[in-house]
Amino acid sequence: MDELDRVMHYLAKLPGLGPRSARRAVLHLLRKRETLMRPLADALGQAAEAVTECSVCGNLDASDPCHICRDDKRDGAVICVVEDVGDVWALERAGAFSGRYHVLGGLLSALDGVGPEDLNIESLIARAGSPEVTEIILAMDATVDGQTTAHYISDRLAGTGVSITRLARGVPVGGELDYLDDGTLTQALKARREV
Amino acid sequence: MDELDRVMHYLAKLPGLGPRSARRAVLHLLRKRETLMRPLADALGQAAEAVTECSVCGNLDASDPCHICRDDKRDGAVICVVEDVGDVWALERAGAFSGRYHVLGGLLSALDGVGPEDLNIESLIARAGSPEVTEIILAMDATVDGQTTAHYISDRLAGTGVSITRLARGVPVGGELDYLDDGTLTQALKARREV
């Protein structure tokens, strides 16, 4: 397999790219060899080298503890528990949360054989035991696995005295009523609030 | 900008990827650091280093002359002229051509200010002068620029004695008549053949 075939082979494995778009990407890279191809190769190599899992929260970052865990301005009393690093990025982009995170690294799933010992749950229980922590937000997906995981964690945290919360359910911003599913509408109605 | 941001920044510049899919790709890469991220970084770096333009035909390859120009089993009497390296790949995938190629590196375009001196046309005229060459296939796109370029090249080759051909026009394989444009239908009718 020659150099170009190898680049195409690996690019085609990225989510959202297939063999056809990998070929287009390779042509594009070759046309921008100095401004895109080499910088991308360097950035990938350096990231593969430098990025590690934060030993406190499980986030991926070039430093350990990660830049969020090291940030003194963030509120150490609130921990937001998420499935994945992508969820940390999404919440950080929204800019609505100033506490710390805890990345589980997955969700409990009987079907996929993922048990509590496969996730960063023990370290969460340990963090929740710190006197500094007063609230744990369970921000898992609103799916069966997500809610099973949230349920398991809130069971494990029962009796520790920290308050356990979850994200609100309801109509998403910009959502149109007649396109929403029944479950969301039911939740939005139940949790209605005075104007 | 930290390591991960840089990877996302460059990935988002690839055709078919945007900021959102670049983020997904980075997460995927980080999960497969040893089997995908490092190999991709190495493959990109090596390809950026090794791949050059073939001095004979303009194809991109790790060797110069390229593997097609070096292949003795290929028919040196027929040269297929294409716009771009992607077209060479497409024809090679089809496996229907066993001659050599000539990559112009673009098409003549008054609008974009691309003139004959910007394309690998002189080297084609020189190759066509070799006694070995008997046929030049003009395999440019069936667009205005493609046909302008084909016309210019066939003018330049007039009187050299090589036969100049172009790809057949007609109904594409799998094409349905009522979805085809008038131009294609007219060409397909004009060039009809006995069964």
Side-chain angles (χ1 to χ4, degrees), chain B residues 8-27:
Chain B
M8 277 185 251
H9 170 78
Y10 290 121
L11 277 180
K13 291 186 171 181
L14 294 180
L17 286 180
R20 193 175 287 262
S21 40
R23 278 197 298 271
R24 274 209 306 148
V26 169
L27 278 177

Side-chain angles (χ1 to χ4, degrees), chain B residues 14 16 21 34 46 57 71-72 74 77 124 136-137 143 145-148 154 160 162-163 168-170 181 186 189:
Chain B
L14 294 180
S21 40
E34 296 309 320
Q46 283 163 19
C57 74
D71 189 345
D72 291 336
R74 298 193 75 116
L124 173 64
I136 306 265
I137 306 173
T143 58
D145 285 350
Q147 294 317 296
T148 307
S154 68
T160 54
V162 294
S163 89
R169 304 267 165 72
D181 60 297
T186 309
L189 259 179

Side-chain angles (χ1 to χ4, degrees), chain B residues 46-139:
Chain B
Q46 283 163 19
E49 207 58 51
V51 173
T52 50
E53 200 170 283
C54 172
S55 55
V56 179
C57 74
N59 189 15
L60 291 169
D61 199 41
S63 61
D64 180 18
C66 74
H67 70 279
I68 296 175
C69 287
R70 274 186 296 120
D71 189 345
D72 291 336
K73 291 199 210 80
R74 298 193 75 116
D75 184 3
V78 189
I79 296 177
C80 181
V81 183
V82 294
E83 174 188 354
D84 212 341
V85 177
D87 302 325
V88 173
W89 295 351
L91 285 160
E92 285 299 287
R93 278 199 303 282
F97 179 65
S98 61
R100 301 261 159 84
Y101 291 96
H102 194 87
V103 180
L104 294 175
L107 293 175
L108 293 178
S109 167
L111 225 63
D112 298 333
V114 182
E117 65 285 354
D118 300 315
L119 306 177
N120 296 327
I121 291 183
E122 289 313 315
S123 54
L124 173 64
I125 308 296
R127 286 179 79 187
S130 147
E132 190 195 13
V133 175
T134 58
E135 180 181 356
I136 306 265
I137 306 173
L138 300 176

Side-chain angles (χ1 to χ4, degrees), chain A:
Chain A
M1 189 150 64
D2 80 359
E3 282 80 357
L4 288 180
D5 287 337
R6 277 205 299 142
V7 175
M8 278 186 251
H9 171 78
Y10 290 120
L11 278 179
K13 290 186 173 181
L14 293 181
L17 286 179
R20 193 174 288 261
S21 40
R23 278 197 298 270
R24 273 209 307 148
V26 168
L27 277 177
H28 186 78
L29 284 164
L30 286 168
R31 282 195 205 104
K32 310 207 162 185
R33 213 179 288 208
E34 296 309 321
T35 56
L36 187 56
M37 196 171 191
R38 279 186 218 272
L40 176 59
D42 293 345
L44 277 171
Q46 282 162 19
E49 207 59 51
V51 173
T52 50
E53 202 171 281
C54 171
S55 55
V56 179
C57 75
N59 189 14
L60 290 170
D61 198 41
S63 61
D64 180 17
C66 73
H67 70 279
I68 296 176
C69 286
R70 275 185 296 119
D71 189 346
D72 290 337
K73 293 199 210 78
R74 298 192 75 116
D75 184 3
V78 189
I79 296 177
C80 182
V81 185
V82 294
E83 175 188 352
D84 212 341
V85 177
D87 301 326
V88 173
W89 295 351
L91 284 160
E92 286 297 289
R93 277 199 306 281
F97 180 65
S98 61
R100 302 262 158 84
Y101 292 96
H102 195 87
V103 180
L104 294 176
L107 294 174
L108 293 179
S109 168
L111 226 63
D112 298 334
V114 182
E117 65 285 354
D118 300 315
L119 306 178
N120 296 328
I121 290 183
E122 288 313 314
S123 54
L124 173 65
I125 308 296
R127 287 178 79 187
S130 148
E132 189 196 13
V133 174
T134 59
E135 181 182 357
I136 305 265
I137 305 172
L138 300 176
M140 272 72 85
D141 293 345
T143 57
V144 172
D145 285 350
Q147 294 316 298
T148 307
T149 312
H151 198 82
Y152 175 85
I153 292 175
S154 68
D155 271 1
R156 290 286 308 270
L157 292 170
T160 54
V162 295
S163 89
I164 302 167
T165 57
R166 64 162 177 75
L167 298 181
R169 303 268 166 72
V171 182
V173 174
E176 297 179 32
L177 285 204
D178 57 346
Y179 284 103
L180 284 178
D181 60 296
D182 301 349
T184 304
L185 277 177
T186 309
Q187 298 262 10
L189 258 178
K190 267 196 207 156
R192 67 186 178 279
R193 295 167 59 162
E194 264 189 72
V195 188

